[in-house]
Coordinates of all heavy atoms in Angstrom, one line a residue:
A509 N -8.1 7.0 31.3 CA -9.5 6.7 31.5 C -9.8 5.3 31.1 O -9.3 4.9 30.1 CB -10.4 7.7 30.7
P510 N -10.6 4.6 31.8 CA -10.8 3.2 31.4 C -11.6 3.2 30.1 O -12.4 4.0 29.8 CB -11.7 2.7 32.6 CG -12.3 3.9 33.2 CD -11.3 5.0 33.0
A511 N -11.2 2.2 29.3 CA -11.8 2.1 28.0 C -13.3 1.7 28.2 O -13.6 0.9 29.1 CB -11.1 1.0 27.2
P512 N -14.2 2.3 27.4 CA -15.6 2.0 27.6 C -15.8 0.5 27.3 O -15.2 -0.1 26.4 CB -16.3 2.9 26.6 CG -15.3 3.3 25.6 CD -14.0 3.2 26.3
A513 N -16.7 -0.1 28.0 CA -17.1 -1.5 27.8 C -17.7 -1.6 26.5 O -18.5 -0.8 26.1 CB -18.0 -2.0 28.9
P514 N -17.5 -2.7 25.7 CA -18.1 -2.8 24.4 C -19.6 -3.0 24.6 O -20.1 -3.6 25.5 CB -17.5 -4.1 23.8 CG -16.9 -4.8 25.0 CD -16.6 -3.8 26.0
V515 N -20.3 -2.4 23.7 CA -21.8 -2.4 23.8 C -22.2 -3.8 23.3 O -21.9 -4.2 22.2 CB -22.4 -1.3 23.0 CG1 -23.9 -1.4 23.0 CG2 -21.9 0.1 23.5
R516 N -23.0 -4.4 24.1 CA -23.5 -5.7 23.7 C -24.8 -5.5 22.8 O -25.7 -4.8 23.2 CB -23.9 -6.6 24.9 CG -24.3 -8.0 24.5 CD -24.2 -8.9 25.7 NE -24.6 -10.2 25.3 CZ -25.6 -10.8 25.7 NH1 -26.5 -10.3 26.5 NH2 -25.9 -12.1 25.2
L517 N -24.8 -6.2 21.6 CA -25.9 -6.0 20.7 C -26.8 -7.2 20.9 O -26.4 -8.3 21.2 CB -25.4 -6.0 19.3 CG -24.4 -4.9 18.9 CD1 -24.0 -5.0 17.4 CD2 -25.1 -3.5 19.1
V518 N -28.1 -6.9 20.7 CA -29.2 -7.9 20.8 C -29.9 -7.9 19.5 O -29.9 -7.0 18.7 CB -30.1 -7.7 22.0 CG1 -29.4 -7.8 23.3 CG2 -30.8 -6.3 21.8
S519 N -30.6 -9.0 19.2 CA -31.4 -9.1 18.0 C -32.8 -8.6 18.3 O -33.5 -9.1 19.2 CB -31.5 -10.6 17.5 OG -30.2 -11.0 17.1
A520 N -33.3 -7.6 17.5 CA -34.6 -7.0 17.7 C -35.5 -7.3 16.5 O -35.2 -6.7 15.4 CB -34.5 -5.6 18.0
P521 N -36.6 -8.0 16.6 CA -37.5 -8.2 15.5 C -38.3 -6.9 15.3 O -38.9 -6.4 16.3 CB -38.3 -9.4 15.8 CG -38.2 -9.6 17.3 CD -36.9 -8.9 17.7
V522 N -38.4 -6.4 14.1 CA -39.1 -5.1 13.9 C -40.0 -5.3 12.7 O -39.6 -5.8 11.6 CB -38.1 -4.0 13.6 CG1 -38.9 -2.7 13.3 CG2 -37.2 -3.8 14.8
R523 N -41.3 -5.0 12.9 CA -42.3 -5.0 11.8 C -42.3 -3.7 11.1 O -42.6 -2.7 11.6 CB -43.7 -5.4 12.3 CG -44.7 -5.5 11.1 CD -46.0 -6.0 11.6 NE -45.9 -7.3 12.3 CZ -45.8 -8.5 11.7 NH1 -45.6 -8.6 10.4 NH2 -45.7 -9.6 12.4
I524 N -42.0 -3.7 9.8 CA -41.9 -2.6 8.9 C -43.2 -2.5 8.1 O -43.7 -3.5 7.6 CB -40.7 -2.6 8.0 CG1 -39.4 -2.7 8.8 CG2 -40.7 -1.3 7.1 CD1 -39.1 -1.6 9.8
A525 N -43.9 -1.3 8.1 CA -45.2 -1.2 7.4 C -45.1 -1.5 5.9 O -46.0 -2.1 5.4 CB -45.8 0.1 7.7
D526 N -44.1 -1.1 5.3 CA -44.0 -1.2 3.8 C -43.1 -2.4 3.4 O -41.9 -2.4 3.5 CB -43.4 0.1 3.2 CG -43.4 0.1 1.7 OD1 -44.0 -0.8 1.1 OD2 -42.9 1.1 1.1
A527 N -43.8 -3.5 3.0 CA -43.1 -4.7 2.6 C -42.2 -4.5 1.4 O -41.2 -5.2 1.2 CB -44.0 -5.8 2.4
E528 N -42.6 -3.6 0.5 CA -41.8 -3.4 -0.7 C -40.5 -2.7 -0.4 O -39.5 -3.0 -1.0 CB -42.6 -2.5 -1.7 CG -43.8 -3.2 -2.3 CD -43.5 -4.5 -3.0 OE1 -42.5 -4.5 -3.8 OE2 -44.2 -5.5 -2.8
A529 N -40.5 -1.9 0.6 CA -39.2 -1.2 1.0 C -38.3 -2.3 1.6 O -37.1 -2.2 1.5 CB -39.5 -0.1 2.0
V530 N -38.9 -3.3 2.3 CA -38.0 -4.3 3.0 C -37.4 -5.2 1.9 O -36.3 -5.7 2.1 CB -38.9 -5.1 3.9 CG1 -38.2 -6.4 4.4 CG2 -39.4 -4.3 5.1
R531 N -38.0 -5.4 0.8 CA -37.4 -6.2 -0.3 C -36.1 -5.6 -0.8 O -35.3 -6.3 -1.4 CB -38.4 -6.3 -1.5 CG -39.6 -7.3 -1.2 CD -40.5 -7.4 -2.3 NE -39.8 -7.6 -3.6 CZ -40.3 -7.3 -4.7 NH1 -41.5 -6.8 -4.8 NH2 -39.7 -7.6 -5.8
L532 N -35.9 -4.3 -0.6 CA -34.6 -3.7 -1.0 C -33.5 -3.9 -0.1 O -32.3 -3.7 -0.4 CB -34.9 -2.2 -1.1 CG -35.9 -1.7 -2.1 CD1 -36.1 -0.2 -2.0 CD2 -35.5 -2.0 -3.5
L533 N -33.8 -4.5 1.1 CA -32.7 -4.7 2.1 C -32.0 -6.0 2.0 O -32.6 -7.0 1.5 CB -33.4 -4.6 3.5 CG -34.1 -3.3 3.9 CD1 -34.7 -3.4 5.3 CD2 -33.1 -2.1 3.8
R534 N -30.8 -6.0 2.4 CA -30.0 -7.2 2.4 C -29.4 -7.3 3.8 O -29.2 -6.3 4.5 CB -28.9 -7.2 1.4 CG -29.3 -7.1 0.0 CD -29.9 -8.4 -0.5 NE -30.4 -8.3 -1.9 CZ -31.7 -8.1 -2.2 NH1 -32.6 -8.0 -1.2 NH2 -32.1 -8.0 -3.4
A535 N -29.0 -8.5 4.3 CA -28.3 -8.7 5.6 C -27.0 -7.9 5.5 O -26.3 -8.0 4.5 CB -28.1 -10.1 5.8
G536 N -26.7 -7.2 6.6 CA -25.5 -6.4 6.6 C -25.7 -4.9 6.3 O -24.9 -4.1 6.6
D537 N -26.9 -4.5 5.7 CA -27.2 -3.1 5.4 C -27.4 -2.3 6.7 O -27.7 -2.9 7.8 CB -28.5 -3.0 4.6 CG -28.3 -3.4 3.2 OD1 -27.1 -3.6 2.7 OD2 -29.3 -3.6 2.5
R538 N -27.1 -1.0 6.7 CA -27.4 -0.2 7.8 C -28.6 0.7 7.5 O -28.7 1.2 6.4 CB -26.2 0.8 8.1 CG -24.9 0.1 8.5 CD -25.0 -0.3 9.9 NE -23.8 -1.0 10.3 CZ -23.5 -1.3 11.6 NH1 -24.4 -0.9 12.5 NH2 -22.5 -2.0 11.9
V539 N -29.5 0.8 8.5 CA -30.8 1.5 8.3 C -31.1 2.4 9.5 O -30.7 2.1 10.6 CB -32.0 0.5 8.1 CG1 -31.8 -0.3 6.8 CG2 -32.2 -0.4 9.2
D540 N -31.9 3.4 9.2 CA -32.5 4.2 10.3 C -34.0 3.8 10.3 O -34.6 3.6 9.3 CB -32.4 5.7 9.9 CG -31.0 6.3 10.1 OD1 -30.2 5.6 10.7 OD2 -30.8 7.4 9.5
V541 N -34.5 3.6 11.6 CA -35.9 3.2 11.7 C -36.6 4.4 12.2 O -36.3 5.1 13.2 CB -36.0 2.1 12.8 CG1 -37.5 1.7 12.9 CG2 -35.2 0.9 12.3
I542 N -37.7 4.8 11.4 CA -38.5 6.0 11.7 C -39.9 5.5 12.1 O -40.5 4.6 11.6 CB -38.6 6.8 10.4 CG1 -37.2 7.2 10.0 CG2 -39.4 8.0 10.6 CD1 -37.1 7.7 8.6
A543 N -40.4 6.2 13.2 CA -41.7 5.9 13.7 C -42.7 7.0 13.4 O -42.4 8.2 13.7 CB -41.7 5.6 15.2
A544 N -43.9 6.7 12.9 CA -44.9 7.7 12.7 C -46.2 7.2 13.4 O -46.6 6.0 13.2 CB -45.2 7.9 11.2
P545 N -46.8 8.0 14.3 CA -47.9 7.5 15.0 C -49.1 7.1 14.1 O -49.4 7.7 13.1 CB -48.3 8.7 15.9 CG -47.1 9.6 15.9 CD -46.4 9.3 14.6
T546 N -49.8 6.0 14.5 CA -51.0 5.6 13.7 C -52.2 6.4 14.2 O -52.2 7.0 15.3 CB -51.2 4.1 13.9 OG1 -51.4 3.8 15.3 CG2 -50.1 3.3 13.4
V547 N -53.3 6.3 13.5 CA -54.4 7.1 13.8 C -55.1 6.6 15.1 O -55.5 7.4 15.9 CB -55.5 7.0 12.6 CG1 -56.7 7.8 12.9 CG2 -54.8 7.6 11.4
N548 N -55.2 5.4 15.3 CA -55.9 4.9 16.5 C -54.9 4.6 17.7 O -55.3 4.0 18.7 CB -56.6 3.6 16.2 CG -55.7 2.5 15.6 OD1 -54.5 2.7 15.5 ND2 -56.3 1.4 15.2
S549 N -53.7 5.1 17.7 CA -52.8 5.0 18.8 C -53.1 6.0 19.8 O -53.6 7.1 19.5 CB -51.4 5.0 18.3 OG -51.0 6.3 18.0
P550 N -52.7 5.8 21.1 CA -52.9 6.8 22.1 C -52.1 8.1 21.8 O -52.6 9.2 22.1 CB -52.3 6.2 23.4 CG -52.1 4.8 23.1 CD -52.1 4.6 21.6
R551 N -51.0 8.1 21.0 CA -50.3 9.3 20.7 C -50.8 9.9 19.4 O -50.4 11.0 19.1 CB -48.8 8.9 20.5 CG -48.2 8.5 21.8 CD -46.7 8.3 21.6 NE -46.1 9.6 21.4 CZ -44.8 9.8 21.2 NH1 -44.0 8.8 21.4 NH2 -44.4 11.0 21.0
G552 N -51.6 9.2 18.7 CA -52.1 9.7 17.4 C -53.1 10.7 17.4 O -53.4 11.4 16.4
E553 N -53.8 11.0 18.5 CA -54.9 11.9 18.6 C -54.4 13.4 18.5 O -54.9 14.2 17.7 CB -55.7 11.7 19.9 CG -56.4 10.4 19.9 CD -57.0 10.1 21.3 OE1 -56.8 10.9 22.2 OE2 -57.6 9.0 21.4
G554 N -53.4 13.7 19.2 CA -52.9 15.1 19.2 C -51.5 15.2 18.7 O -51.0 16.3 18.4
D555 N -50.7 14.1 18.6 CA -49.3 14.2 18.3 C -49.1 13.5 16.9 O -49.3 12.3 16.8 CB -48.5 13.5 19.4 CG -47.0 13.7 19.2 OD1 -46.6 14.5 18.4 OD2 -46.3 12.9 19.8
S556 N -48.6 14.3 16.0 CA -48.3 13.7 14.6 C -46.9 13.8 14.3 O -46.5 13.8 13.2 CB -49.2 14.4 13.6 OG -48.8 15.7 13.5
S557 N -46.0 13.8 15.3 CA -44.6 14.0 15.1 C -44.0 12.6 14.6 O -44.3 11.6 15.1 CB -43.9 14.5 16.3 OG -44.0 13.5 17.4
V558 N -43.0 12.8 13.7 CA -42.3 11.6 13.2 C -40.9 11.7 13.9 O -40.3 12.7 14.0 CB -42.2 11.7 11.7 CG1 -41.3 10.5 11.2 CG2 -43.5 11.6 11.1
R559 N -40.5 10.5 14.4 CA -39.2 10.5 15.1 C -38.3 9.3 14.7 O -38.9 8.3 14.2 CB -39.4 10.5 16.6 CG -39.9 9.2 17.2 CD -40.3 9.4 18.7 NE -40.4 8.1 19.3 CZ -41.5 7.3 19.2 NH1 -42.5 7.7 18.5 NH2 -41.6 6.2 19.8
V560 N -37.0 9.5 14.8 CA -36.1 8.4 14.5 C -35.9 7.6 15.8 O -35.5 8.1 16.8 CB -34.7 8.9 14.0 CG1 -33.8 7.8 13.7 CG2 -34.9 9.8 12.7
V561 N -36.2 6.3 15.7 CA -36.1 5.4 16.9 C -34.7 4.8 16.9 O -34.1 4.6 18.0 CB -37.2 4.4 16.8 CG1 -37.1 3.5 18.1 CG2 -38.5 5.0 16.7
A562 N -34.1 4.4 15.8 CA -32.8 3.8 15.8 C -32.0 4.3 14.6 O -32.6 4.5 13.5 CB -33.0 2.3 15.6
R563 N -30.8 4.6 14.8 CA -29.9 5.1 13.8 C -28.8 4.1 13.5 O -28.2 3.5 14.4 CB -29.2 6.4 14.2 CG -30.2 7.6 14.4 CD -29.4 8.9 14.7 NE -30.4 9.9 15.1 CZ -31.0 10.7 14.2 NH1 -30.8 10.5 12.9 NH2 -31.8 11.6 14.5
A564 N -28.6 3.9 12.2 CA -27.5 3.1 11.7 C -27.5 1.7 12.3 O -26.5 1.1 12.6 CB -26.1 3.7 11.9
A565 N -28.7 1.1 12.4 CA -28.9 -0.3 12.9 C -28.5 -1.2 11.8 O -28.9 -1.0 10.6 CB -30.3 -0.5 13.3
R566 N -27.8 -2.3 12.1 CA -27.4 -3.3 11.1 C -28.5 -4.3 11.0 O -29.1 -4.9 11.9 CB -26.1 -4.0 11.6 CG -25.5 -4.9 10.5 CD -24.2 -5.5 10.9 NE -24.3 -6.3 12.1 CZ -24.7 -7.6 12.1 NH1 -25.1 -8.2 10.9 NH2 -24.7 -8.3 13.2
V567 N -28.9 -4.6 9.7 CA -29.9 -5.6 9.4 C -29.2 -7.0 9.5 O -28.2 -7.3 8.8 CB -30.4 -5.4 7.9 CG1 -31.4 -6.5 7.6 CG2 -31.0 -4.0 7.8
A568 N -29.8 -7.8 10.4 CA -29.3 -9.2 10.6 C -30.0 -10.2 9.7 O -29.4 -11.0 9.1 CB -29.5 -9.6 12.0
E569 N -31.3 -10.0 9.5 CA -32.1 -11.0 8.7 C -33.2 -10.2 8.0 O -33.8 -9.3 8.5 CB -32.7 -12.1 9.6 CG -31.7 -13.0 10.2 CD -32.4 -14.1 11.0 OE1 -33.5 -14.5 10.7 OE2 -31.8 -14.5 12.1
V570 N -33.6 -10.7 6.8 CA -34.7 -10.2 6.0 C -35.6 -11.4 5.7 O -35.2 -12.5 5.7 CB -34.2 -9.4 4.8 CG1 -33.4 -8.2 5.1 CG2 -33.4 -10.3 3.9
P571 N -36.9 -11.1 5.4 CA -37.8 -12.2 5.0 C -37.3 -12.8 3.7 O -36.7 -12.2 2.8 CB -39.1 -11.6 4.9 CG -38.9 -10.1 4.9 CD -37.6 -9.8 5.4
R572 N -37.7 -14.1 3.6 CA -37.3 -14.8 2.3 C -38.2 -14.3 1.2 O -39.3 -13.8 1.4 CB -37.6 -16.3 2.5 CG -36.7 -17.0 3.5 CD -37.0 -18.5 3.6 NE -36.4 -19.0 4.7 CZ -37.0 -19.2 5.9 NH1 -38.3 -18.9 6.0 NH2 -36.4 -19.7 6.9
P573 N -37.7 -14.4 -0.1 CA -38.5 -13.9 -1.2 C -39.9 -14.7 -1.2 O -39.9 -15.9 -1.1 CB -37.7 -14.2 -2.4 CG -36.3 -14.3 -1.9 CD -36.4 -14.8 -0.5
G574 N -41.0 -14.0 -1.5 CA -42.3 -14.7 -1.6 C -43.0 -14.8 -0.3 O -44.2 -15.2 -0.2
E575 N -42.3 -14.5 0.8 CA -43.0 -14.5 2.2 C -43.7 -13.2 2.4 O -43.2 -12.1 2.4 CB -41.9 -14.7 3.3 CG -42.4 -14.9 4.6 CD -41.3 -15.1 5.7 OE1 -40.4 -15.9 5.4 OE2 -41.3 -14.4 6.7
T576 N -45.0 -13.3 2.5 CA -45.9 -12.1 2.6 C -46.7 -12.2 3.9 O -46.9 -13.2 4.5 CB -46.9 -12.0 1.4 OG1 -47.7 -13.2 1.4 CG2 -46.1 -11.8 0.1
R577 N -47.1 -11.0 4.3 CA -47.9 -10.9 5.5 C -49.3 -10.4 5.1 O -49.4 -9.6 4.1 CB -47.3 -9.9 6.5 CG -46.0 -10.3 7.0 CD -46.2 -11.2 8.2 NE -44.9 -11.7 8.7 CZ -44.8 -12.7 9.5 NH1 -45.8 -13.4 9.8 NH2 -43.6 -13.0 9.9
P578 N -50.4 -10.8 5.8 CA -51.7 -10.3 5.4 C -51.9 -8.8 5.6 O -52.7 -8.2 4.9 CB -52.7 -11.1 6.4 CG -51.8 -11.7 7.4 CD -50.4 -11.7 6.9
D579 N -51.2 -8.2 6.5 CA -51.3 -6.8 6.7 C -50.5 -5.9 5.8 O -50.5 -4.7 5.9 CB -51.0 -6.4 8.2 CG -49.6 -6.8 8.6 OD1 -48.9 -7.4 7.8 OD2 -49.2 -6.4 9.7
G580 N -49.7 -6.6 5.0 CA -48.8 -5.8 4.0 C -47.5 -5.5 4.5 O -46.7 -4.9 3.8

Side-chain angles (χ1 to χ4, degrees):
V515 177
R516 185 163 182 245
L517 299 178
V518 295
S519 296
V522 179
R523 183 172 303 283
I524 305 299
D526 187 6
E528 294 300 316
V530 172
R531 286 180 48 205
L532 300 174
L533 300 178
R534 301 284 178 262
D537 286 347
R538 295 281 178 171
V539 294
D540 289 344
V541 180
I542 302 166
T546 58
V547 176
N548 57 3
S549 74
R551 296 186 64 176
E553 295 170 358
D555 187 14
S556 63
S557 64
V558 176
R559 69 186 196 283
V560 177
V561 182
R563 294 186 187 275
R566 188 176 60 82
V567 176
E569 292 181 34
V570 293
R572 293 182 195 96
E575 186 178 309
T576 58
R577 296 278 180 196
D579 61 355

